[in-house]
Amino acid sequence: MELVERYGFVPNGARVYYENRSQPPLLSQMIRAVYTKTRDLTLLKRSLPILLKEYAFWTSAPHEVRVRDHKGEEHRLSRFWGHWNSPRPESFTIDINVTQGMNKTRAAHLYHDIATAAESGWDFSSRWMEDQQNMETLRTSMIIPVDLNVFLFQMEKNIEYFGKILVNQIVETRFANAAKDRYRAIQRILWSRKNGQWFDAWLSYDECSLSETNKRTVVVYEWVQKRLTYASNFVPLWAGVLPKGDVRKERVVEALRTSGLIQSASVATSLRNTGQQWDFPNAWAPLVDMVIEGLDASGLTRGRSMAREISRDWLRSNFVAYQQVGKMIEKYDATSCGKIGGVGEYNPQTGFGWSNGVVLSLLQKYGWPADEPMFCPEPLS
């Protein structure tokens, strides 16, 4: 909260060279989780103006864009946008190597999309690439991401809730309307009725050629869904985008079940093995947790059963890997129980905050049967 007071957003890390990009907007959900346990009104009173400041960051240009749906109606959605067009200081040599041989303009565009991918948390993934095997084709800043917009929908609902508790009718009404507008935009632009899931939208107008100093330029984008399968397609189930009793939940649960993402040891980030760390076969604790919680919150028998099975597989794999190396790890292999994830621009990190947190959360939620050993099943012959 103090960082948002100072910078207007939660920086990608608490270091000077991260001042050019944010973390994904999950602060309001953190505050709501604490308030739910503590009922601390002082926290809400302090946090409300801070959240309004962070919300303004994500809903103003260049993060917010206007898009027109197939019926000609205009909507506002948000994208990631790193304020940077040079090599990242923390990965300077790596970024220089990626742009080797490019002219200055093309290199600056790519540096910008690299920093933007880092703002998303998905650094790096085929999700952001036109050619899914080629880092040089990153187009992160020209994509409207499913997860970012459902995080913002969740933020709008949280601020509406805080406004109601604090008897601030202006805030409550404003954010109730904002959530309705974003829900409509998400369903019109990102939802695929045919596929039973949400897909990122790719913007067709190259704004990278526009000067950011021209603040009066208003662009209404055309867009296209690239119907590619990523775990992020199912984050809206976790964020509560579909209301209670919505029959579309059955379609989403079935789409996830048949997507190919659910592997023997967990949920893969994507179906593409590209050598990037946010791709197959890697599984990441926050995404796994969102999938599990989303399935559980669906209220469907099949969804809750899937949630319990994925939780069991994830806990088992984490424990077996811990027995092997004596540490918790940043990411795991979704295809093999107890196997540590790999690839990417750095070695797998040990620790690890979100791995620890998700394991504790799942153990609290589901526990572990006392009569069931926590070891990997023998492969079928």
Side-chain angles (χ1 to χ4, degrees), residues 90-104:
E90 75 276 17
S91 302
F92 190 89
T93 305
I94 294 170
D95 291 359
I96 286 286
N97 288 337
V98 172
T99 60
Q100 203 164 26
M102 294 183 183
N103 63 44
K104 287 186 178 180

mmCIF file with all atom_site columns, all heavy atoms in Angstrom, residues 90-104:
data_model
loop_
_atom_site.group_PDB
_atom_site.id
_atom_site.type_symbol
_atom_site.label_atom_id
_atom_site.label_alt_id
_atom_site.label_comp_id
_atom_site.label_asym_id
_atom_site.label_entity_id
_atom_site.label_seq_id
_atom_site.pdbx_PDB_ins_code
_atom_site.Cartn_x
_atom_site.Cartn_y
_atom_site.Cartn_z
_atom_site.occupancy
_atom_site.B_iso_or_equiv
_atom_site.pdbx_formal_charge
_atom_site.auth_seq_id
_atom_site.auth_comp_id
_atom_site.auth_asym_id
_atom_site.auth_atom_id
_atom_site.pdbx_PDB_model_num
ATOM 1   N N   . GLU A 1 90  ? 17.994 -5.556  -14.998 1.00 0.00 ? 90  GLU A N   1
ATOM 2   C CA  . GLU A 1 90  ? 18.221 -6.822  -14.295 1.00 0.00 ? 90  GLU A CA  1
ATOM 3   C C   . GLU A 1 90  ? 18.546 -7.970  -15.248 1.00 0.00 ? 90  GLU A C   1
ATOM 4   O O   . GLU A 1 90  ? 18.964 -9.034  -14.801 1.00 0.00 ? 90  GLU A O   1
ATOM 5   C CB  . GLU A 1 90  ? 17.002 -7.176  -13.431 1.00 0.00 ? 90  GLU A CB  1
ATOM 6   C CG  . GLU A 1 90  ? 15.792 -7.677  -14.185 1.00 0.00 ? 90  GLU A CG  1
ATOM 7   C CD  . GLU A 1 90  ? 14.890 -6.599  -14.751 1.00 0.00 ? 90  GLU A CD  1
ATOM 8   O OE1 . GLU A 1 90  ? 15.333 -5.429  -14.855 1.00 0.00 ? 90  GLU A OE1 1
ATOM 9   O OE2 . GLU A 1 90  ? 13.736 -6.919  -15.095 1.00 0.00 ? 90  GLU A OE2 1
ATOM 10  N N   . SER A 1 91  ? 18.309 -7.760  -16.562 1.00 0.00 ? 91  SER A N   1
ATOM 11  C CA  . SER A 1 91  ? 18.573 -8.817  -17.564 1.00 0.00 ? 91  SER A CA  1
ATOM 12  C C   . SER A 1 91  ? 19.229 -8.190  -18.794 1.00 0.00 ? 91  SER A C   1
ATOM 13  O O   . SER A 1 91  ? 18.902 -8.542  -19.930 1.00 0.00 ? 91  SER A O   1
ATOM 14  C CB  . SER A 1 91  ? 17.273 -9.516  -17.947 1.00 0.00 ? 91  SER A CB  1
ATOM 15  O OG  . SER A 1 91  ? 16.642 -10.079 -16.825 1.00 0.00 ? 91  SER A OG  1
ATOM 16  N N   . PHE A 1 92  ? 20.153 -7.298  -18.571 1.00 0.00 ? 92  PHE A N   1
ATOM 17  C CA  . PHE A 1 92  ? 20.697 -6.467  -19.648 1.00 0.00 ? 92  PHE A CA  1
ATOM 18  C C   . PHE A 1 92  ? 21.314 -7.304  -20.763 1.00 0.00 ? 92  PHE A C   1
ATOM 19  O O   . PHE A 1 92  ? 20.990 -7.141  -21.946 1.00 0.00 ? 92  PHE A O   1
ATOM 20  C CB  . PHE A 1 92  ? 21.746 -5.504  -19.066 1.00 0.00 ? 92  PHE A CB  1
ATOM 21  C CG  . PHE A 1 92  ? 22.193 -4.444  -20.029 1.00 0.00 ? 92  PHE A CG  1
ATOM 22  C CD1 . PHE A 1 92  ? 21.528 -3.230  -20.117 1.00 0.00 ? 92  PHE A CD1 1
ATOM 23  C CD2 . PHE A 1 92  ? 23.301 -4.654  -20.850 1.00 0.00 ? 92  PHE A CD2 1
ATOM 24  C CE1 . PHE A 1 92  ? 21.939 -2.256  -21.008 1.00 0.00 ? 92  PHE A CE1 1
ATOM 25  C CE2 . PHE A 1 92  ? 23.723 -3.675  -21.745 1.00 0.00 ? 92  PHE A CE2 1
ATOM 26  C CZ  . PHE A 1 92  ? 23.034 -2.482  -21.824 1.00 0.00 ? 92  PHE A CZ  1
ATOM 27  N N   . THR A 1 93  ? 22.200 -8.219  -20.411 1.00 0.00 ? 93  THR A N   1
ATOM 28  C CA  . THR A 1 93  ? 22.912 -9.009  -21.423 1.00 0.00 ? 93  THR A CA  1
ATOM 29  C C   . THR A 1 93  ? 21.952 -9.885  -22.214 1.00 0.00 ? 93  THR A C   1
ATOM 30  O O   . THR A 1 93  ? 22.070 -10.013 -23.440 1.00 0.00 ? 93  THR A O   1
ATOM 31  C CB  . THR A 1 93  ? 23.986 -9.877  -20.753 1.00 0.00 ? 93  THR A CB  1
ATOM 32  O OG1 . THR A 1 93  ? 24.843 -9.047  -19.982 1.00 0.00 ? 93  THR A OG1 1
ATOM 33  C CG2 . THR A 1 93  ? 24.815 -10.612 -21.797 1.00 0.00 ? 93  THR A CG2 1
ATOM 34  N N   . ILE A 1 94  ? 20.983 -10.491 -21.518 1.00 0.00 ? 94  ILE A N   1
ATOM 35  C CA  . ILE A 1 94  ? 19.998 -11.349 -22.186 1.00 0.00 ? 94  ILE A CA  1
ATOM 36  C C   . ILE A 1 94  ? 19.216 -10.559 -23.226 1.00 0.00 ? 94  ILE A C   1
ATOM 37  O O   . ILE A 1 94  ? 19.041 -10.992 -24.369 1.00 0.00 ? 94  ILE A O   1
ATOM 38  C CB  . ILE A 1 94  ? 19.040 -11.970 -21.147 1.00 0.00 ? 94  ILE A CB  1
ATOM 39  C CG1 . ILE A 1 94  ? 19.793 -12.939 -20.235 1.00 0.00 ? 94  ILE A CG1 1
ATOM 40  C CG2 . ILE A 1 94  ? 17.874 -12.686 -21.833 1.00 0.00 ? 94  ILE A CG2 1
ATOM 41  C CD1 . ILE A 1 94  ? 18.994 -13.407 -19.044 1.00 0.00 ? 94  ILE A CD1 1
ATOM 42  N N   . ASP A 1 95  ? 18.746 -9.359  -22.848 1.00 0.00 ? 95  ASP A N   1
ATOM 43  C CA  . ASP A 1 95  ? 17.948 -8.557  -23.761 1.00 0.00 ? 95  ASP A CA  1
ATOM 44  C C   . ASP A 1 95  ? 18.763 -8.068  -24.950 1.00 0.00 ? 95  ASP A C   1
ATOM 45  O O   . ASP A 1 95  ? 18.263 -8.029  -26.086 1.00 0.00 ? 95  ASP A O   1
ATOM 46  C CB  . ASP A 1 95  ? 17.332 -7.368  -23.008 1.00 0.00 ? 95  ASP A CB  1
ATOM 47  C CG  . ASP A 1 95  ? 16.259 -7.795  -22.023 1.00 0.00 ? 95  ASP A CG  1
ATOM 48  O OD1 . ASP A 1 95  ? 15.985 -9.007  -21.936 1.00 0.00 ? 95  ASP A OD1 1
ATOM 49  O OD2 . ASP A 1 95  ? 15.698 -6.923  -21.334 1.00 0.00 ? 95  ASP A OD2 1
ATOM 50  N N   . ILE A 1 96  ? 20.010 -7.696  -24.712 1.00 0.00 ? 96  ILE A N   1
ATOM 51  C CA  . ILE A 1 96  ? 20.897 -7.272  -25.805 1.00 0.00 ? 96  ILE A CA  1
ATOM 52  C C   . ILE A 1 96  ? 21.049 -8.400  -26.826 1.00 0.00 ? 96  ILE A C   1
ATOM 53  O O   . ILE A 1 96  ? 21.020 -8.177  -28.045 1.00 0.00 ? 96  ILE A O   1
ATOM 54  C CB  . ILE A 1 96  ? 22.273 -6.858  -25.248 1.00 0.00 ? 96  ILE A CB  1
ATOM 55  C CG1 . ILE A 1 96  ? 22.183 -5.502  -24.539 1.00 0.00 ? 96  ILE A CG1 1
ATOM 56  C CG2 . ILE A 1 96  ? 23.319 -6.809  -26.354 1.00 0.00 ? 96  ILE A CG2 1
ATOM 57  C CD1 . ILE A 1 96  ? 22.046 -4.314  -25.466 1.00 0.00 ? 96  ILE A CD1 1
ATOM 58  N N   . ASN A 1 97  ? 21.201 -9.612  -26.334 1.00 0.00 ? 97  ASN A N   1
ATOM 59  C CA  . ASN A 1 97  ? 21.379 -10.755 -27.235 1.00 0.00 ? 97  ASN A CA  1
ATOM 60  C C   . ASN A 1 97  ? 20.128 -11.010 -28.087 1.00 0.00 ? 97  ASN A C   1
ATOM 61  O O   . ASN A 1 97  ? 20.233 -11.380 -29.258 1.00 0.00 ? 97  ASN A O   1
ATOM 62  C CB  . ASN A 1 97  ? 21.732 -12.017 -26.435 1.00 0.00 ? 97  ASN A CB  1
ATOM 63  C CG  . ASN A 1 97  ? 23.148 -11.969 -25.884 1.00 0.00 ? 97  ASN A CG  1
ATOM 64  O OD1 . ASN A 1 97  ? 24.004 -11.254 -26.408 1.00 0.00 ? 97  ASN A OD1 1
ATOM 65  N ND2 . ASN A 1 97  ? 23.397 -12.714 -24.821 1.00 0.00 ? 97  ASN A ND2 1
ATOM 66  N N   . VAL A 1 98  ? 18.941 -10.810 -27.505 1.00 0.00 ? 98  VAL A N   1
ATOM 67  C CA  . VAL A 1 98  ? 17.706 -11.041 -28.243 1.00 0.00 ? 98  VAL A CA  1
ATOM 68  C C   . VAL A 1 98  ? 17.567 -10.075 -29.416 1.00 0.00 ? 98  VAL A C   1
ATOM 69  O O   . VAL A 1 98  ? 17.054 -10.438 -30.484 1.00 0.00 ? 98  VAL A O   1
ATOM 70  C CB  . VAL A 1 98  ? 16.476 -10.915 -27.307 1.00 0.00 ? 98  VAL A CB  1
ATOM 71  C CG1 . VAL A 1 98  ? 15.173 -10.962 -28.100 1.00 0.00 ? 98  VAL A CG1 1
ATOM 72  C CG2 . VAL A 1 98  ? 16.479 -12.028 -26.268 1.00 0.00 ? 98  VAL A CG2 1
ATOM 73  N N   . THR A 1 99  ? 18.041 -8.841  -29.234 1.00 0.00 ? 99  THR A N   1
ATOM 74  C CA  . THR A 1 99  ? 17.846 -7.816  -30.270 1.00 0.00 ? 99  THR A CA  1
ATOM 75  C C   . THR A 1 99  ? 19.069 -7.658  -31.181 1.00 0.00 ? 99  THR A C   1
ATOM 76  O O   . THR A 1 99  ? 19.123 -6.708  -31.970 1.00 0.00 ? 99  THR A O   1
ATOM 77  C CB  . THR A 1 99  ? 17.544 -6.460  -29.615 1.00 0.00 ? 99  THR A CB  1
ATOM 78  O OG1 . THR A 1 99  ? 18.644 -6.080  -28.766 1.00 0.00 ? 99  THR A OG1 1
ATOM 79  C CG2 . THR A 1 99  ? 16.267 -6.525  -28.792 1.00 0.00 ? 99  THR A CG2 1
ATOM 80  N N   . GLN A 1 100 ? 19.997 -8.563  -31.079 1.00 0.00 ? 100 GLN A N   1
ATOM 81  C CA  . GLN A 1 100 ? 21.221 -8.459  -31.872 1.00 0.00 ? 100 GLN A CA  1
ATOM 82  C C   . GLN A 1 100 ? 20.894 -8.394  -33.365 1.00 0.00 ? 100 GLN A C   1
ATOM 83  O O   . GLN A 1 100 ? 20.130 -9.200  -33.894 1.00 0.00 ? 100 GLN A O   1
ATOM 84  C CB  . GLN A 1 100 ? 22.126 -9.668  -31.602 1.00 0.00 ? 100 GLN A CB  1
ATOM 85  C CG  . GLN A 1 100 ? 23.587 -9.421  -31.897 1.00 0.00 ? 100 GLN A CG  1
ATOM 86  C CD  . GLN A 1 100 ? 24.461 -10.497 -31.251 1.00 0.00 ? 100 GLN A CD  1
ATOM 87  O OE1 . GLN A 1 100 ? 24.025 -11.617 -31.019 1.00 0.00 ? 100 GLN A OE1 1
ATOM 88  N NE2 . GLN A 1 100 ? 25.701 -10.153 -30.964 1.00 0.00 ? 100 GLN A NE2 1
ATOM 89  N N   . GLY A 1 101 ? 21.477 -7.400  -34.052 1.00 0.00 ? 101 GLY A N   1
ATOM 90  C CA  . GLY A 1 101 ? 21.273 -7.251  -35.488 1.00 0.00 ? 101 GLY A CA  1
ATOM 91  C C   . GLY A 1 101 ? 20.072 -6.417  -35.877 1.00 0.00 ? 101 GLY A C   1
ATOM 92  O O   . GLY A 1 101 ? 19.871 -6.130  -37.062 1.00 0.00 ? 101 GLY A O   1
ATOM 93  N N   . MET A 1 102 ? 19.239 -6.005  -34.915 1.00 0.00 ? 102 MET A N   1
ATOM 94  C CA  . MET A 1 102 ? 18.070 -5.184  -35.231 1.00 0.00 ? 102 MET A CA  1
ATOM 95  C C   . MET A 1 102 ? 18.441 -3.716  -35.332 1.00 0.00 ? 102 MET A C   1
ATOM 96  O O   . MET A 1 102 ? 19.398 -3.262  -34.695 1.00 0.00 ? 102 MET A O   1
ATOM 97  C CB  . MET A 1 102 ? 16.998 -5.332  -34.136 1.00 0.00 ? 102 MET A CB  1
ATOM 98  C CG  . MET A 1 102 ? 16.378 -6.696  -34.036 1.00 0.00 ? 102 MET A CG  1
ATOM 99  S SD  . MET A 1 102 ? 15.073 -6.696  -32.765 1.00 0.00 ? 102 MET A SD  1
ATOM 100 C CE  . MET A 1 102 ? 14.592 -8.418  -32.821 1.00 0.00 ? 102 MET A CE  1
ATOM 101 N N   . ASN A 1 103 ? 17.653 -2.952  -36.096 1.00 0.00 ? 103 ASN A N   1
ATOM 102 C CA  . ASN A 1 103 ? 17.852 -1.506  -36.081 1.00 0.00 ? 103 ASN A CA  1
ATOM 103 C C   . ASN A 1 103 ? 17.294 -0.933  -34.783 1.00 0.00 ? 103 ASN A C   1
ATOM 104 O O   . ASN A 1 103 ? 16.577 -1.616  -34.041 1.00 0.00 ? 103 ASN A O   1
ATOM 105 C CB  . ASN A 1 103 ? 17.219 -0.839  -37.303 1.00 0.00 ? 103 ASN A CB  1
ATOM 106 C CG  . ASN A 1 103 ? 15.702 -1.012  -37.361 1.00 0.00 ? 103 ASN A CG  1
ATOM 107 O OD1 . ASN A 1 103 ? 15.012 -0.853  -36.358 1.00 0.00 ? 103 ASN A OD1 1
ATOM 108 N ND2 . ASN A 1 103 ? 15.185 -1.333  -38.547 1.00 0.00 ? 103 ASN A ND2 1
ATOM 109 N N   . LYS A 1 104 ? 17.597 0.322   -34.504 1.00 0.00 ? 104 LYS A N   1
ATOM 110 C CA  . LYS A 1 104 ? 17.260 0.911   -33.197 1.00 0.00 ? 104 LYS A CA  1
ATOM 111 C C   . LYS A 1 104 ? 15.753 0.943   -32.944 1.00 0.00 ? 104 LYS A C   1
ATOM 112 O O   . LYS A 1 104 ? 15.288 0.678   -31.831 1.00 0.00 ? 104 LYS A O   1
ATOM 113 C CB  . LYS A 1 104 ? 17.837 2.319   -33.096 1.00 0.00 ? 104 LYS A CB  1
ATOM 114 C CG  . LYS A 1 104 ? 19.349 2.356   -32.916 1.00 0.00 ? 104 LYS A CG  1
ATOM 115 C CD  . LYS A 1 104 ? 19.829 3.777   -32.689 1.00 0.00 ? 104 LYS A CD  1
ATOM 116 C CE  . LYS A 1 104 ? 21.344 3.809   -32.465 1.00 0.00 ? 104 LYS A CE  1
ATOM 117 N NZ  . LYS A 1 104 ? 21.822 5.202   -32.249 1.00 0.00 ? 104 LYS A NZ  1
#
